[in-house]
Amino acid sequence: MAVGYLRDSIAEQGQSSLGVEVEQSSIHAFAEAQGSTLVAKHQDVASGKDDCRPGFQAASARCRQLGAMLVAARLDRITQRTHTLSRLLEDGYAIRAADLPAADDLMMRIYVAMAQKERELISERTRRAAGRQGAWSGTGR
């Protein structure tokens, strides 16, 4: 059994449904290729740095209840925090990403560490760009 999890990081993606449709298709194809039945899907429109997403919490609870694997189109849809992934894996959750079908738990930890670093770099670049434009200094240049 598998529980699908979909996440769009910005409201515009969630409203357009384009990202969700691609993710759904990927999750369905992965579950089918694994011989698993997709028993539930949960979704959020939120940042991956926040673990308190209602859809994520519901998907995790459903996996625990059914002993199902948690499947997302990409690993960074589940989380971009190494701590979160490690905690889930250590708690016995089976986590799988459709774009990394052969990844074992170690490889997923490495990929999430890279996603976390990329999120940090993006945040820093955004702050620097906003500072150059005067947005942070209040000058309104």
Side-chain angles (χ1 to χ4, degrees):
M1 287 186 283
V3 173
Y5 179 69
L6 307 105
R7 182 181 64 78
D8 284 316
S9 55
I10 58 173
E12 292 81 19
Q13 286 175 321
Q15 291 170 354
S16 75
S17 298
L18 295 176
V20 171
E21 288 175 9
V22 171
E23 286 187 37
Q24 283 180 356
S25 176
S26 182
I27 290 168
H28 280 282
F30 178 81
E32 186 176 300
Q34 297 295 310
S36 295
T37 302
L38 196 60
V39 295
K41 287 186 285 186
H42 297 276
Q43 178 180 348
D44 286 307
V45 177
S47 169
K49 69 180 180 179
D50 179 11
D51 292 338
C52 297
R53 295 167 271 143
F56 175 67
Q57 298 298 322
S60 300
R62 189 75 169 150
C63 286
R64 175 63 72 194
Q65 176 187 35
L66 299 173
M69 72 175 146
L70 181 60
V71 179
R74 295 189 342 244
L75 188 56
D76 70 347
R77 300 290 88 191
I78 294 172
T79 187
Q80 295 175 345
R81 298 179 62 206
T82 55
H83 171 76
T84 301
L85 180 69
S86 289
R87 183 177 39 85
L88 288 168
L89 293 172
E90 289 168 12
D91 286 347
Y93 286 89
I95 308 292
R96 296 294 173 257
D99 69 334
L100 302 169
D104 61 13
D105 291 356
L106 173 63
M107 290 173 64
M108 287 194 291
R109 283 181 166 104
I110 292 168
Y111 287 123
V112 166
M114 291 186 307
Q116 179 175 325
K117 182 63 176 177
E118 180 60 20
R119 179 179 50 82
E120 292 165 359
L121 292 171
I122 289 169
S123 179
E124 180 59 31
R125 286 191 302 263
T126 302
R127 273 196 295 277
R128 280 196 311 260
R132 283 192 301 268
Q133 294 173 3
W136 292 102
S137 64
T139 60
R141 292 184 236 178

